[in-house]
Structures are given as C-alpha cells and as structure tokens.
C-alpha cells in the first residue's frame, strides 16, 4: 500500500524544489509553469479531496517563519488582508516600515494610494485581497532577493489557490517578474493580461513608483479600466 500522506509530501517537496530551480532560472528539465501548476494541483487534490485549504491554514503553516534571512530583521509577518472570497487580488513586493510595524499590507503612503485605486474601481479594501511576494520586510526596503522570493512564493501560490480570484493585479516589477517568471521590465509587461493559476493577471506600476512618477498616472488609469472591464460586478 502506498502511504498517501507520504506520497503527497513527496509531491509537494518535488514541486517546491522544481519551482525554486525554475525561479532561479534553471532550465533543461520540465519546470515550465504549466507543468508545475499541474503538479501542484495533483498534490493538493490528493491531500484535500473536497475543500481547498483555507487562508487560516496557510497562515498557520507559515507560523513564526524562520525559513529565510528576512526573519532576522522583521518585526511582524505581513500575511495579507481582505476577503477570502475576493474576485480581485493585489500583489505587491514586500512590507515596508509601516506594514512591518502594523502587520497589515499597504498601510503607508503607497497603501493609501492603493486604497484610492481600489475606490476608483468602486470597491472597498475589504472586497479585495491584498498581499505581497514576500511576507517580511526586506531591510532598508531593498528588493527581495531571489532566495527569499523562492522561499516565500509557495505560500503566495497557496493563497492564490485558496482565494481563486478572477483577477490578479501585480503591483510593480518585483511582483510581475517573479510571478510571471520573466526579466521583462514592468513598463513592457503592464497593460495586458497574462494567465496564472487559472486567473487573469494584469501587471501595472507600483503605487510607490507612481508617487515618485506622477506622469505614469495615465498608464495606471488605463490598467485600472482594464480591471473594471473584466471585474464581475454582478452575481
Ligand atoms: N509596498 C509593497 O510592495 N507592499 C506593501 O505592503 C507596502 C508597500
Ligand atoms: N520599477 C518597479 O519595480 N516597479 C514599478 O512600478 C516601476 C519601476
């Protein structure tokens, strides 16, 4: 008899390893995003034949995380906030100082701009779900490093799988490049939809970048209108 628990664990570990290799640019075996998603779905279907795992279960699994070096300088883990049934999810880069202190994503200046963007879509923050690529603040607000992104992104993928939003808006180059597994610049990636874990994904500029570069407001407004066109307001 196959030990199902063990089998599932092995699949999960294999998937995580392949993803880390894929995220760090290794090629030459089948680590295409589609194959990895299939593997992930396979492992999860077997471990959860009915209900998908809950956001709370994923948070519990993160625990008092020490899996990467960001744990040394963080104050709080910033897991994510909003509706578990959100149809629209926003993914930023990582917590800043205000988020590190409060434990809530996007509460500083960039967060206030994000709140205004959400209001422009005729939604409230509690209607959507907001999280980041890494859950702990990088020191001095530096960019998250590849090993930190690779360690944290399985949790983000599980959050996406738990929520199953219709739309995902990727805020800035870090989120867009790491989730779409590309080195293409945000200015080239923004303004069109991609597919990820069964969701329609739209990259746009990060609100912090927008604060420094107000001339990009027009582009972001175009992207926001694309989200509004696709958002299922009814039903
Ligand atoms: N910038 C981000 O990318 N995420 C936050 O939560 C806050 C600022
Ligand atoms: N660089 C980023 O990382 N994000 C932006 O939105 C713009 C430039």
């Amino acid at each position: 008899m196959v030990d199902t628990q063990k089998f599932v664990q092995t699949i999960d570990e294999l998937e995580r390893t392949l993803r880390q290799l894929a995220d760090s640019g290794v090629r030459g075996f089948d680590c295409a995003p589609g194959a990895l998603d299939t593997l992930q779905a396979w492992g999860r279907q077997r471990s959860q034949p009915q209900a998908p795992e809950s956001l709370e279960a994923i948070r519990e699994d993160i625990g008092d995380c020490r899996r990467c070096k960001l744990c040394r300088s963080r104050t709080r883990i910033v897991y994510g906030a909003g509706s578990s049934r959100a149809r629209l999810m926003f993914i930023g880069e990582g917590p800043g100082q205000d988020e590190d202190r409060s434990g809530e994503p996007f509460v500083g200046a960039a967060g206030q701009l994000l709140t205004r963007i959400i209001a422009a879509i005729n939604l409230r923050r509690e209607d959507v779900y907001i999280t980041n690529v890494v859950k702990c603040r990088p020191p001095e607000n530096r960019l998250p490093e590849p090993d930190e992104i690779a360690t944290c992104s399985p949790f983000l993928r599980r959050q996406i799988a738990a929520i199953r939003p219709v739309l995902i808006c990727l805020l800035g180059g870090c989120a867009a490049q790491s989730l779409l597994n590309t080195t293409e610049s945000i200015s080239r990636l923004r303004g069109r939809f991609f597919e990820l874990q069964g969701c329609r994904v739209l990259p746009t500029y990060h609100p912090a970048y927008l604060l420094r570069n107000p001339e990009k407001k027009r582009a972001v407004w175009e992207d926001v209108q694309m989200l509004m066109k696709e958002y299922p307001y009814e039903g």
Side-chain angles (χ1 to χ4, degrees):
M1 267 294 283
V2 177
D3 179 337
T4 310
Q5 260 325 99
K6 250 206 150 130
F7 174 74
V8 167
Q9 231 173 30
T10 307
I11 294 279
D12 279 352
E13 277 163 22
L14 177 62
E15 185 225 334
R16 202 164 307 156
T17 306
L18 288 173
R19 257 192 219 290
Q20 283 184 7
L21 288 169
D23 286 348
S24 60
V26 174
R27 293 292 176 270
F29 57 88
D30 194 357
C31 56
L36 293 172
D37 285 343
T38 304
L39 203 54
Q40 184 181 49
W42 193 30
R44 303 239 179 285
Q45 264 164 29
R46 279 162 190 278
S47 57
Q48 291 110 13
Q50 293 106 18
E53 65 178 342
S54 67
L55 285 173
E56 291 76 17
I58 302 163
R59 178 65 189 89
E60 253 177 57
D61 194 8
I62 292 175
D64 183 31
C65 189
R66 305 263 142 204
R67 294 171 182 84
C68 90
K69 58 189 178 300
L70 292 180
C71 71
R72 293 190 221 128
S73 49
R74 71 148 189 260
T75 311
R76 290 199 191 210
I77 294 173
V78 181
Y79 177 56
S83 169
S84 61
R85 302 177 54 184
R87 291 156 176 197
L88 170 59
M89 186 166 172
F90 288 92
I91 302 174
E93 183 175 302
Q97 188 175 47
D98 296 312
E99 293 78 20
D100 178 67
R101 282 187 186 150
S102 68
E104 291 286 311
F106 281 98
V107 291
Q112 286 163 29
L113 180 50
L114 179 60
T115 303
R116 294 217 301 274
I117 289 171
I118 293 166
I121 308 175
N122 293 320
L123 297 171
R124 301 161 301 171
R125 276 177 73 111
E126 53 271 37
D127 297 319
V128 302
Y129 193 84
I130 306 172
T131 188
N132 286 298
V133 170
V134 295
K135 310 304 192 225
C136 296
R137 183 193 182 198
E140 316 297 326
N141 297 340
R142 66 157 168 76
L143 276 169
E145 290 171 0
D147 63 305
E148 296 156 358
I149 295 173
T151 305
C152 216
S153 57
F155 297 107
L156 176 59
R157 288 178 193 281
R158 285 164 63 184
Q159 285 173 294
I160 296 169
I163 297 167
R164 293 205 145 280
V166 177
L167 299 168
I168 300 177
C169 183
L170 302 174
L171 301 169
C174 173
Q177 289 169 358
S178 59
L179 280 140
L180 300 174
N181 196 24
T182 174
T183 54
E184 197 89 70
S185 72
I186 184 67
S187 58
R188 284 174 163 272
L189 292 169
R190 64 147 289 272
R192 60 196 157 105
F193 282 103
F194 296 81
E195 221 254 19
L196 183 76
Q197 292 178 243
C199 311
R200 304 201 71 201
V201 174
L202 184 74
T204 194
Y205 292 116
H206 194 286
Y209 178 78
L210 203 54
L211 288 172
R212 297 190 304 269
N213 301 272
E215 75 278 7
K216 300 290 190 223
K217 272 186 193 161
R218 177 189 288 271
V220 172
W221 177 235
E222 284 169 15
D223 297 343
V224 164
Q225 285 175 311
M226 289 180 75
L227 287 175
M228 289 181 77
K229 255 193 203 149
E230 299 296 322
Y231 188 87
Y233 289 97
E234 311 292 325

